[in-house]
Structures are given as C-alpha cells and as structure tokens.
Amino acid sequence: MYALIDCNNFYASCERVFRPDLNGKPIVVLSNNDGCVIARSNEAKAVGVPMGAPAFEFKELFKQHQVHVFSANFPLYGDMSNRVMTLLGEYSPEIEVYSIDEAFLKLTGFEYFDLQAYGLDMVKRVTKGTGIPISVGIAPTKALAKVANRIAKKFPKETNATYIIDSEEKRIKALKWLKVEDIWGIGRQSAKKLRDQGVRTAYDFTNMNDSWVQHQLSIVGLRLKKDLLGFPTLDLEDIKAKKNIATTRSFERPLTELKDLKERVATFAVSCSEKLRKQHSCCAAMMVFIHTNGFRKDLPQYSRNISVKLPFPSNSSIELAKFATQALERIYQPGFAYKKAGVIIMNFVQEDQVQLSMFENSNPKHASLMKAIDVLNQRFGQQKVKLAAQDQKRVWKMRQEKLSQRYTTNLNEIITIKI
C-alpha cells in the first residue's frame, strides 16, 4: 500500500500557524515581487480569487472581502515543510518527498495494521507537531493514493481527512467520481484528447484500449492507466539532481545600459553556479534571455534569447559569469528599456565525471576558491563575497511589501509572547 500525504493550502496554513487570528479568514500568498497569486485559502477561493491572479488587478476584490495578502516567505515555508516531512518519516522508512507540501510513503509490511487508524494518527501528529493540517490518502498504488487523497481533502468531515481505497468497489466508485482532467499526470492537452474520445472520468480512462493510450499518451500514460487499475507500476523515486537550473528576475526599474544588464546577468549566473555546486554538478550549456515590458505598449518592444554550448563543463561562478555576459553581448540591442533577464543552465554532468579536453578545461584552482566562497557566504550571509563583475554595494532583494516574519529560521524574528 501507498500513502499520499498532502498539506492543505500549505502556504496559507504556514502563515496561520503564527497568526491564529486568521483562521477562517481569506488569505492569499503572492509570487516573487508580489506579482501573482500562487496560493489561496479555501475562504479566498470562495470569494472568487483565481490562481495566478495578478495582484494589482484584484486590489479592489481583496479590499471588498478583507482578503489578507502575504508576500511569499520561502524560508518559513521550506522550514515548515522539513518539519512535516521529518514527522512523516517516522511512519515509514520508505518516503518520497514529492513536493514542498506532498510526500508518498510506501507501507510495505503493513498488511495487519489498521491503516485507517494509522492515517488518523498521522493527521493528529502532524497537526499537533507543526500546526499544518494534512490529508491522507491510502491505496494499493501511487495513482490511486492520489485519488484517495483528493477524496479525503474534498470531504474532510466525512473522512476525518483520511481515506483508504482498499476494495474493488471503492476503487471503481472513486474513479467514476474523478473527472479525467483531475487525474494525476494528465495535462490539459491529454485531457482534451481523452474528452474528444468521450472519456469523462478516470473510470472511462481505465477502460480505454492499451494501444491507443500508449500511442496517444506514451508509455507513461499506459503506466498511469495500469496504476489506476490497481497494478503498481509507479514506485517511489529517489531524490534526483535537477536537470536544469534557472535564475530569472524582473527589475525594479527598466534598464537600458549594457553595463547594468551585464551586472545583473553575471549575478544570475553566480546564483545558478551556487545551486549547481550544491548538487555537485557542472553544466555544459546555458541560455541567456532579455526582454522588455510587454505591458508598456507605449514603448518599443524587444525579446531575445540565446543558447550557447560551453567550451568545457563548469560550476565556477567566475567562468559561468564570463560565459553569460558574453552571451548577453550577442543579443543586446541599444534603445530598449529592458524589464527582465535570466540565465538557465543545462546539460549537467557530475563534477567527478567531467571528461577533460585536450585544449581547454575549467581552471582547477577555481574549485577550492568556490568552496571557500560558499563557506563564507553560508556563515556570514548570502552575497557577502562577490565577483568584481557584480555590484559590490547592491544586495538583490525582491519586492516583498507584505512579508511575514521568518519565525522559525531567524532568531531576530522569532515569535514573542506577551504575558
């Protein structure tokens, strides 16, 4: 059996842990630079706040319904997620952290356990230990555990936030209830293909011909179908290194000069290299892009990106910043007000498996230098040690006008109680 544990309205729930006065009130959390809505409480959904809503377009709605708006507090959310996952790890040695607010547990050898009571204990333990409400779905396969979790979340009072699919009758009933577009792993285009074939529910999908499913949805779609039929084909996955890393930012003000853009792009490349070193990888290719503000119809528009193959794999901040600024020079055009830029690094290889070239390789002295810089920045704070190509006085900071405190990760912002 597999269990899927999902934190309910996770970002909003994290804010409520330290602001219990917001229980029952509408909450939204905004993306980087307070741009769009990326999380909503049930109360915010009820008053008509859509996911991805631009915050500036919904100011009146927020005011009308007294919606509490927060900037994304990722240090807090990440720490709360770690606390939840640590508690869940006590319920099974086999755990896959699927996302910041979801985890699969493989319940091998639990045949004689009361799984309903086990799930209820998870809900009680995590809620008491962290303040984060969760839903638990348990079933013979990962895909069915997703369905069971959806039922637990949709009907919390009837299920006590825990639902188990442990019989053929329950499986069929659940699949007939679930819409095809809500199946885990079925995207918008795949759902359209299935609806064109008359498929309306997950149960209809499981009755499709295998050859058609494989042809239209690939082998991944066929495995998903078998998983929904109750035959385990999707096992827990190990945490894998990322296949690409991106650092992209909108600027506080439009930039027109090449030197200003080069400083920003160099900083983005440094950020990518730091993440790359954390997973002990090197990259062999990168893409750099710049574009103007598409909402400013009164200004001339320009958008361009360029992909470059590096002469050698590297995770050195010095080398990646150099390659990124060289790429920028090839696509920059004067006379435009640039609003956003970004660096995306790709084609990773483990740093201990880099093949040396006869003519050009990464500077071997950079490895120890980068290690020293990482240690210093970790000890004294990010961006304390920089490259000369970066602005020494500038510490990049997102616009976060409605940021809550980092209650659990910063002693200066720890919660205080007045008695």
Side-chain angles (χ1 to χ4, degrees), residues 163-192:
Y163 189 75
I164 303 177
I165 296 177
D166 54 1
S167 68
E168 185 67 3
E169 181 183 0
K170 282 187 174 182
R171 184 188 71 84
I172 292 174
K173 184 178 179 180
L175 295 185
K176 286 183 176 179
W177 168 79
L178 187 69
K179 295 178 181 178
V180 66
E181 59 267 24
D182 293 332
I183 299 174
W184 177 47
I186 295 292
R188 186 179 303 173
Q189 292 302 319
S190 296
K192 186 178 183 300

Side-chain angles (χ1 to χ4, degrees), residues 84-363:
V84 170
M85 301 308 167
T86 299
L87 289 175
L88 292 178
E90 297 177 7
Y91 287 87
S92 173
E94 298 180 89
I95 181 171
E96 174 193 341
V97 179
Y98 184 67
S99 67
I100 193 170
D101 61 348
E102 288 181 280
F104 284 101
L105 299 181
K106 191 172 184 180
L107 304 178
T108 304
F110 285 70
E111 291 80 4
Y112 300 105
F113 275 63
D114 183 343
L115 293 181
Q116 182 71 29
Y118 206 60
L120 290 173
D121 189 65
M122 288 185 209
V123 173
K124 182 179 178 181
R125 179 83 187 281
V126 172
T127 304
K128 183 178 180 181
T130 66
I132 302 295
I134 64 171
S135 299
V136 179
I138 300 175
T141 69
K142 288 178 73 174
L144 286 174
K146 267 278 190 180
V147 179
N149 182 277
R150 197 177 188 92
I151 294 171
K153 182 171 287 190
K154 183 73 174 178
F155 307 103
K157 292 182 179 178
E158 296 85 344
T159 63
N160 290 320
T162 301
Y163 189 75
I164 303 177
I165 296 177
D166 54 1
S167 68
E168 185 67 3
E169 181 183 0
K170 282 187 174 182
R171 184 188 71 84
I172 292 174
K173 184 178 179 180
L175 295 185
K176 286 183 176 179
W177 168 79
L178 187 69
K179 295 178 181 178
V180 66
E181 59 267 24
D182 293 332
I183 299 174
W184 177 47
I186 295 292
R188 186 179 303 173
Q189 292 302 319
S190 296
K192 186 178 183 300
K193 287 181 183 178
L194 291 166
R195 282 196 167 274
D196 289 343
Q197 297 295 315
V199 177
R200 296 290 180 267
T201 66
Y203 182 73
D204 296 336
F205 173 61
T206 58
N207 289 322
M208 294 290 290
N209 180 273
D210 281 359
S211 59
W212 186 93
V213 172
Q214 183 169 348
H215 179 69
Q216 295 294 327
L217 306 181
S218 77
I219 189 66
V220 176
L222 183 59
R223 288 173 182 164
L224 177 60
K225 177 195 166 185
K226 291 183 177 180
D227 229 55
L228 289 171
L229 286 168
F231 304 108
T233 56
L234 307 173
D235 205 352
L236 297 189
E237 297 181 5
D238 296 327
I239 298 175
K240 298 179 180 178
K242 295 179 180 179
K243 295 182 179 179
N244 56 63
I245 292 171
T247 300
T248 67
R249 298 283 186 268
S250 294
F251 308 133
E252 307 89 16
R253 57 178 178 80
L255 301 181
T256 58
E257 299 296 325
L258 176 60
K259 62 180 179 63
D260 295 327
L261 283 168
K262 288 175 74 172
E263 188 281 328
R264 291 289 80 201
V265 166
T267 298
F268 300 161
V270 169
S271 176
C272 287
S273 66
E274 289 171 350
K275 298 172 185 176
L276 198 57
R277 292 193 293 272
K278 283 184 179 179
Q279 66 177 46
H280 304 291
S281 300
C282 294
C283 73
M286 71 164 51
M287 183 177 80
V288 176
F289 73 84
I290 50 174
H291 64 70
T292 52
N293 188 347
F295 293 102
R296 291 292 303 273
K297 303 302 181 183
D298 57 318
L299 296 176
Q301 299 295 315
Y302 178 76
S303 177
R304 185 78 186 276
N305 67 70
I306 183 171
S307 295
V308 294
K309 182 179 179 181
L310 306 188
F312 46 81
S314 174
N315 61 14
S316 163
S317 296
I318 298 172
E319 292 167 343
L320 294 189
K322 173 187 172 183
F323 297 139
T325 53
Q326 288 175 345
L328 172 67
E329 290 173 346
R330 294 169 60 182
I331 60 175
Y332 169 78
Q333 289 291 331
F336 295 96
Y338 295 98
K339 181 61 177 175
K340 189 173 184 178
V343 174
I344 304 170
I345 54 176
M346 304 162 285
N347 294 8
F348 295 170
V349 59
Q350 286 298 103
E351 59 185 6
D352 59 354
Q353 298 176 8
V354 173
Q355 292 187 349
L356 299 179
S357 167
M358 182 178 294
F359 302 105
E360 192 173 11
N361 293 290
S362 179
N363 190 326

